Amino acid sequence: MMRKRLMAVLIWMVSFGLLAACGGKETYKPVDIQAGVDKCEVCHMLISDNQHATEIVLKDKRVLKFDDIGDMFAWLKENGEEQVGAKFVRDYRTKEWVELEKATFVYDPGFHTPMGYGVLSFQSEEEADKFIQEQGTGRKMTPADLANHTWEQHATQDQHGHDSNH
């Protein structure tokens, strides 16, 4: 009788452990940019390994890469977020990957970005504030603000030196 009870408790513990492991939140990770190889999902330009690169990791683990956060939002507008597992941006100063929902953004139409959207990403609100103070311009934005942003392109030069407004 004691053996059956012990076996039942053991089976329950193993089953619970397996369920807990399977029921955990899916984790998604950004991947390195292969400069000169990777192309933007929207404009198909080569992506530089710089602070403007962004990525979407789909639930099936496929990674979509973008040369400018504006192109990422163009893709989201067209395709929706149903298959999106995670969105990543890079800190403007350190180039570290940051989950989009945890980042703070600064916008100014005069900021040069690959496709001219003028939105820069920062790991912290403090870094964004510091950048605005240093530049003397820029509007701080939250991830929620980005969803309502107009995403207008402003004249810029792409990484190849051509005027670009695709």
Side-chain angles (χ1 to χ4, degrees), residues 45-70:
M45 288 178 51
L46 290 175
I47 300 173
S48 294
D49 187 25
N50 66 22
Q51 68 267 47
H52 301 293
T54 64
E55 293 182 349
I56 292 175
V57 182
L58 299 176
K59 291 177 181 174
D60 68 4
K61 304 292 187 185
R62 190 165 63 103
V63 178
L64 308 178
K65 299 176 182 183
F66 305 91
D67 60 350
D68 190 306
I69 192 170

Side-chain angles (χ1 to χ4, degrees), residues 93 122 127-137:
R93 294 191 193 272
F122 296 87
E127 284 298 315
D129 288 336
K130 184 178 173 184
F131 183 82
I132 291 169
Q133 186 176 5
E134 291 169 0
Q135 298 300 310
T137 189

Side-chain angles (χ1 to χ4, degrees), residues 75-122:
W75 186 92
L76 289 166
K77 182 178 180 181
E78 186 173 318
N79 296 282
E81 295 203 31
E82 187 176 316
Q83 296 304 312
V84 174
K87 297 173 284 219
F88 294 95
V89 296
R90 286 181 117 172
D91 179 82
Y92 182 74
R93 294 191 193 272
T94 67
K95 294 186 356 180
E96 295 288 322
W97 288 111
V98 183
E99 285 185 57
L100 184 137
E101 290 79 13
K102 294 178 180 176
T104 301
F105 304 88
V106 177
Y107 166 72
D108 189 278
F111 293 161
H112 291 284
T113 64
M115 298 313 299
Y117 288 101
V119 176
L120 307 176
S121 310
F122 296 87

Side-chain angles (χ1 to χ4, degrees), residues 144-156:
D145 294 333
L146 296 180
N148 300 315
H149 187 58
T150 58
W151 295 109
E152 295 174 14
Q153 287 181 290
H154 307 281
T156 187

